[in-house]
Amino acid sequence: MTFEASSPSDVALVHPLTAPANVTIQLPGSKSLTNRALLCAALAEGRSQLSGVLFADDTRAMLHAVSGVGAQLEIDESANTVAVTGTDPRVTTPTAHVDADQSGTTSRFILPALGLSPGRSVVDGSAQLRGRPFGPLIDALRSVGVRVDELGEPGYLPVSVTGPTRGGSVELPG
């Protein structure tokens, strides 16, 4: 279909297509999917090639976080790709200072990942992120043996995390 209107107040005429459309659409990457893929690749053995990566503030925070757990990154922003060589934090014992900036996804995903390691790491963020509650996640990590020390107000960032987790089941409110 095609639309014709000479100004916003005009009536738009819709003309049906006479043949199937032949178009290619390149959708932008997803912040949510990019952050999940980066963390999965960082914790996986070997090398993962991610394409369609969205480069934004939140995903840059996750790139910083996964490099903090020991993943090796080869970033090509012009091609929207990241090659990630993963690492096992249970073996490499990373000690990281993760600045999640304003990224709630990064901070909430990296805390349990850091709980896999016997090393002590700190997760912090912007003043805006420090105002978001983390109590249920902190309680869940503690329930599986991760040491979490609040370095400011209880239930909020910054926190230090020291594992390893003993594992088990946890429930978190959705």
Side-chain angles (χ1 to χ4, degrees):
M1 293 185 187
T2 60
F3 298 92
E4 295 178 22
S6 58
S7 73
S9 63
D10 284 350
V11 173
L13 298 176
V14 178
H15 302 284
L17 295 175
T18 58
N22 182 12
V23 297
T24 301
I25 299 173
Q26 181 68 38
L27 298 176
S30 161
K31 171 181 73 170
S32 178
L33 292 177
T34 295
N35 274 349
R36 285 165 170 77
L38 285 168
L39 184 60
C40 288
L43 298 175
E45 286 185 28
R47 182 180 163 98
S48 301
Q49 182 71 30
L50 307 180
S51 60
V53 171
L54 176 69
F55 291 95
D57 291 344
D58 282 13
T59 55
R60 284 187 176 84
M62 184 62 86
L63 287 164
H64 171 73
V66 298
S67 67
V69 298
Q72 301 297 310
L73 305 173
E74 295 173 31
I75 300 167
D76 185 344
E77 286 197 34
S78 64
N80 297 326
T81 62
V82 177
V84 183
T85 303
T87 185
D88 186 344
R90 297 170 300 175
V91 176
T92 58
T93 313
T95 54
H97 182 92
V98 174
D99 179 357
D101 193 25
Q102 293 185 35
S103 178
T105 302
T106 298
S107 54
R108 285 180 169 76
F109 287 3
I110 203 67
L111 280 169
L114 292 169
L116 297 170
S117 169
R120 180 183 181 271
S121 296
V122 173
V123 178
D124 199 359
S126 68
Q128 182 262 354
L129 187 60
R130 284 183 173 192
R132 292 174 159 179
F134 281 77
L137 179 55
I138 290 169
D139 293 343
L141 290 170
R142 287 177 174 151
S143 76
V144 291
V146 177
R147 179 177 173 175
V148 181
D149 297 312
E150 290 121 324
L151 305 176
E153 187 177 343
Y156 294 84
L157 296 181
V159 298
S160 72
V161 180
T162 307
T165 177
R166 65 175 178 273
S169 296
V170 297
E171 288 187 28
L172 287 167

